[in-house]
PDB file of all heavy atoms in Angstrom:
ATOM      1  N   ALA A 532    -215.957-181.878 141.106  1.00  0.00           N
ATOM      2  CA  ALA A 532    -215.137-181.942 139.902  1.00  0.00           C
ATOM      3  C   ALA A 532    -215.176-180.609 139.153  1.00  0.00           C
ATOM      4  O   ALA A 532    -214.183-180.151 138.617  1.00  0.00           O
ATOM      5  CB  ALA A 532    -215.620-183.074 138.993  1.00  0.00           C
ATOM      6  N   ALA A 533    -216.350-179.979 139.145  1.00  0.00           N
ATOM      7  CA  ALA A 533    -216.514-178.724 138.412  1.00  0.00           C
ATOM      8  C   ALA A 533    -216.236-177.511 139.298  1.00  0.00           C
ATOM      9  O   ALA A 533    -216.297-176.383 138.826  1.00  0.00           O
ATOM     10  CB  ALA A 533    -217.918-178.644 137.843  1.00  0.00           C
ATOM     11  N   LEU A 534    -215.941-177.739 140.576  1.00  0.00           N
ATOM     12  CA  LEU A 534    -215.748-176.652 141.547  1.00  0.00           C
ATOM     13  C   LEU A 534    -216.970-175.739 141.574  1.00  0.00           C
ATOM     14  O   LEU A 534    -216.854-174.521 141.504  1.00  0.00           O
ATOM     15  CB  LEU A 534    -214.481-175.852 141.228  1.00  0.00           C
ATOM     16  CG  LEU A 534    -213.164-176.638 141.216  1.00  0.00           C
ATOM     17  CD1 LEU A 534    -211.996-175.738 140.803  1.00  0.00           C
ATOM     18  CD2 LEU A 534    -212.880-177.257 142.578  1.00  0.00           C
ATOM     19  N   GLU A 535    -218.150-176.365 141.628  1.00  0.00           N
ATOM     20  CA  GLU A 535    -219.392-175.593 141.591  1.00  0.00           C
ATOM     21  C   GLU A 535    -220.297-175.923 142.774  1.00  0.00           C
ATOM     22  O   GLU A 535    -221.250-176.700 142.646  1.00  0.00           O
ATOM     23  CB  GLU A 535    -220.149-175.886 140.287  1.00  0.00           C
ATOM     24  CG  GLU A 535    -219.504-175.273 139.082  1.00  0.00           C
ATOM     25  CD  GLU A 535    -220.243-175.604 137.791  1.00  0.00           C
ATOM     26  OE1 GLU A 535    -221.081-176.529 137.780  1.00  0.00           O
ATOM     27  OE2 GLU A 535    -219.957-174.923 136.798  1.00  0.00           O
ATOM     28  N   PRO A 536    -220.029-175.313 143.921  1.00  0.00           N
ATOM     29  CA  PRO A 536    -220.881-175.599 145.085  1.00  0.00           C
ATOM     30  C   PRO A 536    -222.335-175.205 144.864  1.00  0.00           C
ATOM     31  O   PRO A 536    -223.219-175.762 145.510  1.00  0.00           O
ATOM     32  CB  PRO A 536    -220.264-174.766 146.210  1.00  0.00           C
ATOM     33  CG  PRO A 536    -219.101-174.053 145.652  1.00  0.00           C
ATOM     34  CD  PRO A 536    -218.908-174.422 144.232  1.00  0.00           C
ATOM     35  N   HIS A 537    -222.598-174.279 143.961  1.00  0.00           N
ATOM     36  CA  HIS A 537    -223.987-173.854 143.779  1.00  0.00           C
ATOM     37  C   HIS A 537    -224.866-175.005 143.291  1.00  0.00           C
ATOM     38  O   HIS A 537    -226.075-175.004 143.507  1.00  0.00           O
ATOM     39  CB  HIS A 537    -224.078-172.643 142.843  1.00  0.00           C
ATOM     40  CG  HIS A 537    -224.006-172.975 141.401  1.00  0.00           C
ATOM     41  ND1 HIS A 537    -222.826-173.047 140.705  1.00  0.00           N
ATOM     42  CD2 HIS A 537    -224.976-173.281 140.506  1.00  0.00           C
ATOM     43  CE1 HIS A 537    -223.092-173.362 139.442  1.00  0.00           C
ATOM     44  NE2 HIS A 537    -224.377-173.510 139.298  1.00  0.00           N
ATOM     45  N   ALA A 538    -224.256-175.995 142.656  1.00  0.00           N
ATOM     46  CA  ALA A 538    -225.044-177.143 142.209  1.00  0.00           C
ATOM     47  C   ALA A 538    -225.573-177.938 143.408  1.00  0.00           C
ATOM     48  O   ALA A 538    -226.634-178.555 143.333  1.00  0.00           O
ATOM     49  CB  ALA A 538    -224.198-178.035 141.299  1.00  0.00           C
ATOM     50  N   VAL A 539    -224.830-177.911 144.496  1.00  0.00           N
ATOM     51  CA  VAL A 539    -225.301-178.585 145.715  1.00  0.00           C
ATOM     52  C   VAL A 539    -226.514-177.830 146.268  1.00  0.00           C
ATOM     53  O   VAL A 539    -227.469-178.436 146.754  1.00  0.00           O
ATOM     54  CB  VAL A 539    -224.184-178.670 146.776  1.00  0.00           C
ATOM     55  CG1 VAL A 539    -224.693-179.342 148.049  1.00  0.00           C
ATOM     56  CG2 VAL A 539    -222.976-179.417 146.220  1.00  0.00           C
ATOM     57  N   ALA A 540    -226.454-176.509 146.170  1.00  0.00           N
ATOM     58  CA  ALA A 540    -227.577-175.705 146.651  1.00  0.00           C
ATOM     59  C   ALA A 540    -228.832-175.986 145.828  1.00  0.00           C
ATOM     60  O   ALA A 540    -229.935-176.105 146.374  1.00  0.00           O
ATOM     61  CB  ALA A 540    -227.222-174.217 146.588  1.00  0.00           C
ATOM     62  N   THR A 541    -228.668-176.122 144.532  1.00  0.00           N
ATOM     63  CA  THR A 541    -229.802-176.455 143.673  1.00  0.00           C
ATOM     64  C   THR A 541    -230.376-177.813 144.087  1.00  0.00           C
ATOM     65  O   THR A 541    -231.585-178.004 144.153  1.00  0.00           O
ATOM     66  CB  THR A 541    -229.361-176.504 142.195  1.00  0.00           C
ATOM     67  OG1 THR A 541    -228.765-175.250 141.863  1.00  0.00           O
ATOM     68  CG2 THR A 541    -230.542-176.764 141.282  1.00  0.00           C
ATOM     69  N   TYR A 542    -229.484-178.735 144.385  1.00  0.00           N
ATOM     70  CA  TYR A 542    -229.910-180.064 144.809  1.00  0.00           C
ATOM     71  C   TYR A 542    -230.706-180.013 146.116  1.00  0.00           C
ATOM     72  O   TYR A 542    -231.708-180.718 146.263  1.00  0.00           O
ATOM     73  CB  TYR A 542    -228.692-180.982 144.975  1.00  0.00           C
ATOM     74  CG  TYR A 542    -229.019-182.277 145.670  1.00  0.00           C
ATOM     75  CD1 TYR A 542    -229.676-183.306 144.995  1.00  0.00           C
ATOM     76  CD2 TYR A 542    -228.706-182.473 147.013  1.00  0.00           C
ATOM     77  CE1 TYR A 542    -230.001-184.488 145.635  1.00  0.00           C
ATOM     78  CE2 TYR A 542    -229.026-183.651 147.669  1.00  0.00           C
ATOM     79  CZ  TYR A 542    -229.673-184.655 146.975  1.00  0.00           C
ATOM     80  OH  TYR A 542    -230.010-185.824 147.612  1.00  0.00           O
TER      81      TYR A 542
END
Side-chain angles (χ1 to χ4, degrees):
Chain A
L534 301 177
E535 288 178 345
H537 80 271
V539 179
T541 304
Y542 168 76

